[in-house]
Amino acid sequence: MSAELKSPQTPYEALGGHEALARIVDRFYDLMDSEERYAELRAMHAADLSPMRRSLAGWLSAWAGGPRDWFDENPGKCMMSAHRGLGVSAATADQWADAMARAIADHCPKDSVIGQAMAERLDMMARAMVTN
Ligand code: HEM
């Protein structure tokens, strides 16, 4: 098949697949777990972050156009609705978006268009989750 006829790459493929997304997620939760500036966000989460590491990596993979296992395992679950009852504030949404942007920047090449696009979209989602 000629290069022109190949299917376009999904964001999942461009980002490096599940392994790369899992590394971003691990960095994200390591930052949240270790830095004082994320303390309020950290306090909202359970003591054991391992289930969250698995879940967020799976969700991101499906969201970015990769394997849809997370959606199959969580039928009908909407990320926005799932966060509605959590009392996300502007400050904690900001902490989430900041830690995620740093984790992405640590794993994507400098000036990576796909990395920046991912950080921007997740930032918008986190801010749309603010309920108080
Ligand atoms: C784009 C933004 C976000 C995404 C994609 C996301 C993703 C997720 C995922 C996949 C889960 C696990 C759900 C499950 O397995 O059932 C989760 C849970 C959770 N999220 Fe988020 N989240 C986002 C933003 C936020 C923000 C802004 C906050 C707080 C300010 C937050 C706080 C939490 C908490 C407290 C839980 C439950 C954790 C626990 O049970 O320990 N999330 N999120």
Side-chain angles (χ1 to χ4, degrees):
M1 193 190 288
S2 75
E4 298 90 292
L5 293 177
K6 273 191 190 146
S7 312
Q9 245 194 347
T10 61
Y12 173 82
E13 289 162 341
L15 285 158
H18 188 273
E19 199 191 313
L21 290 169
R23 269 190 281 123
I24 290 172
V25 166
D26 277 340
R27 176 71 177 138
F28 168 74
Y29 284 116
D30 288 348
L31 284 169
M32 187 202 287
D33 205 21
S34 61
E35 294 198 10
E36 187 53 35
R37 69 173 112 169
Y38 307 121
E40 200 184 340
L41 175 64
R42 176 67 186 90
M44 294 172 72
H45 289 78
D48 180 7
L49 290 171
S50 346
M52 290 295 299
R53 289 175 193 263
R54 266 195 307 281
S55 184
L56 184 54
W59 184 87
L60 284 173
S61 291
W63 175 72
R68 297 181 56 80
D69 302 27
W70 192 93
F71 291 124
D72 294 340
E73 287 158 18
N74 296 276
K77 189 160 184 171
C78 160
M79 237 345 96
M80 301 306 293
S81 313
H83 285 72
R84 206 160 289 143
L86 294 176
V88 176
S89 65
T92 49
D94 194 54
Q95 290 169 26
W96 197 103
D98 185 74
M100 182 53 78
R102 285 178 64 195
I104 293 168
D106 285 350
H107 285 283
C108 290
K110 202 173 177 301
D111 301 329
S112 154
V113 172
I114 191 75
Q116 283 176 12
M118 179 181 173
E120 275 170 26
R121 295 312 183 281
L122 291 172
D123 183 297
M124 286 164 67
M125 272 185 72
R127 287 174 207 289
M129 287 172 179
V130 174
T131 50
N132 68 336

